[in-house]
Structures are given as structure tokens and as C-alpha cells.
Amino acid sequence: MPELLSTLRPQKLPFRRRLTRAAVALIYRRTKDGGVELLFIQRARREGDPWSGDMAFPGGRMQPEDATPRAAAERETLEETGVDLMRHGRFHARLSDLITRHHSRWRPMVVTPYVYEWQGKQPVTLNHEVERVVWVPLDYLAAKENQSRLPWRTPIGTLQFPCCRYQEYCIWGLSYSMLQELLALDMISQ
């Protein structure tokens, strides 16, 4: 793992400091049978939220009290799930910046993902932003037969977005992109 981290060069957007910033945590844990699971949240269903009910990684926008985007990912994860990465997480790496938009506006926002290994036993405590937490086996997420397409209607026609379906959940969009980078790096050996 240390060799991989020393060669990891995530893409950093050169103008990221001029835009609104957000950060998320990709949290994995090892299972008793030697497998690896990745934590996803299902966003609470709220009117007016374009990603209402979607699967995501915990995280959110930076606040003035956040010294770094990584600190924002840790704070937001604690607020949304009760998972304390400062005490029970082992930081591994930063992944590439991604660009998206604010929920209610078309202004761009940069999202930075951070990878942690969960080493705690504490129960999850969800806040109003999260409907549930789902641990998904990494082998399942990596399997080609579990990849699919999500049809998305737009004014110009239906687009087909890549996704991974797990039980009744669909992982797509930014979360899917982050997942694909994580899987391509093969940084979580099983």
C-alpha cells in the first residue's frame, strides 16, 4: 500500500480554489471472511432535491470552519452517519477532483473524494439527510455483470448513464465515477 500511495497522482482541477468546494469519504471495511465492503448512503427523499433518494458517499460542502476539504469530508461523514473517521478511520488516499453543480443552481462545484479504512465498531447514527447506510461488497461492485445503464430523460432525449445496480439500489453519476477510479487503482487489496 505505501508504494501505491507514493505513486498516486490524482487529478487536481487548477481552478478548484475559486469554486465552491465539497468533499466525500469512500469508506471501506474488511469482513470476517476476508472480503471488503464499501459504505454508501441513500440520500433522504426530499422535494426539490435533484438527487433525492440516490446512492452516494457521505460528505458535503466545505464550511468556513473546515481547514481543508478532507476535514469537510470527515465532519460531514460524522454529521450524516455518526461515523467518526478522525478516531476510527485510517486515511489512505485522495482521489481525483470531479466537477458538478450546486443542488439548486447551475454554478459549478468541485468535489474531492478521500479513501478511508473503517476500523471502528460504533453503530451508525443517521441524520435527516440520510435514509439508510448500505455496505456493498467490493467484488460485487467490480464485477462486469453487475454494470448496467440508467436511462435519464432530458429535454433533448433519453440519455444512458453507466451505473451499478445492487439489490434495489442504483449507483451512478459522481459516485459511480469515484467508484470506478477506486476500482481502477486497485488500492484496496482483498
Side-chain angles (χ1 to χ4, degrees):
M1 179 62 91
E3 301 83 34
L4 174 66
L5 293 180
S6 67
T7 61
L8 179 61
R9 298 285 182 250
Q11 297 295 316
K12 295 181 179 180
L13 296 174
F15 51 86
R16 69 188 178 280
R17 288 188 172 87
R18 294 192 174 133
L19 298 174
T20 301
R21 303 282 304 273
V24 299
L26 282 70
I27 305 164
Y28 71 93
R29 69 179 180 189
R30 300 196 184 277
T31 62
K32 291 179 183 176
D33 64 358
V36 175
E37 296 175 320
L38 196 58
L39 181 141
F40 288 89
I41 61 170
Q42 182 178 30
R43 295 172 52 91
R45 297 177 195 284
R46 296 189 318 203
E47 194 161 329
D49 181 351
W51 298 285
S52 179
D54 280 0
M55 299 303 288
F57 295 111
R61 283 195 295 257
M62 281 185 71
Q63 300 299 322
E65 67 269 16
D66 296 321
T68 63
R70 182 174 152 193
E74 292 168 353
R75 176 188 52 76
E76 284 279 346
T77 298
L78 181 62
E79 289 175 7
E80 292 176 354
T81 66
V83 171
D84 189 344
L85 294 172
M86 296 281 291
R87 295 182 64 197
H88 302 290
R90 191 172 102 206
F91 173 72
H92 277 284
R94 175 194 183 280
L95 299 181
S96 297
D97 289 333
L98 295 168
I99 195 153
T100 188
R101 68 176 179 90
H102 285 258
H103 292 234
S104 58
R105 300 177 230 138
W106 283 100
R107 293 177 49 206
M109 179 170 63
V110 174
V111 180
T112 306
Y114 296 90
V115 180
Y116 293 84
E117 180 178 6
W118 176 243
Q119 299 175 323
K121 303 269 189 250
Q122 77 186 61
V124 174
T125 308
L126 306 180
N127 77 359
H128 67 281
E129 298 174 78
V130 178
E131 194 166 308
R132 70 179 46 95
V133 166
V134 180
W135 288 95
V136 182
L138 198 62
D139 284 344
Y140 184 95
L141 294 165
K144 290 193 186 310
E145 63 268 17
N146 299 324
Q147 308 312 302
S148 184
R149 294 280 178 187
L150 175 69
W152 190 265
R153 290 187 184 154
T154 72
I156 60 170
T158 301
L159 303 176
Q160 299 287 327
F161 288 101
C163 68
C164 179
R165 296 183 186 277
Y166 177 73
Q167 297 174 358
E168 72 266 24
Y169 308 108
C170 182
I171 300 160
W172 71 289
L174 285 182
S175 298
Y176 186 80
S177 296
M178 293 171 197
L179 171 63
Q180 294 309 304
E181 182 178 9
L182 180 71
L183 293 170
L185 291 171
D186 194 28
M187 69 172 34
I188 305 170
S189 60
Q190 296 195 28

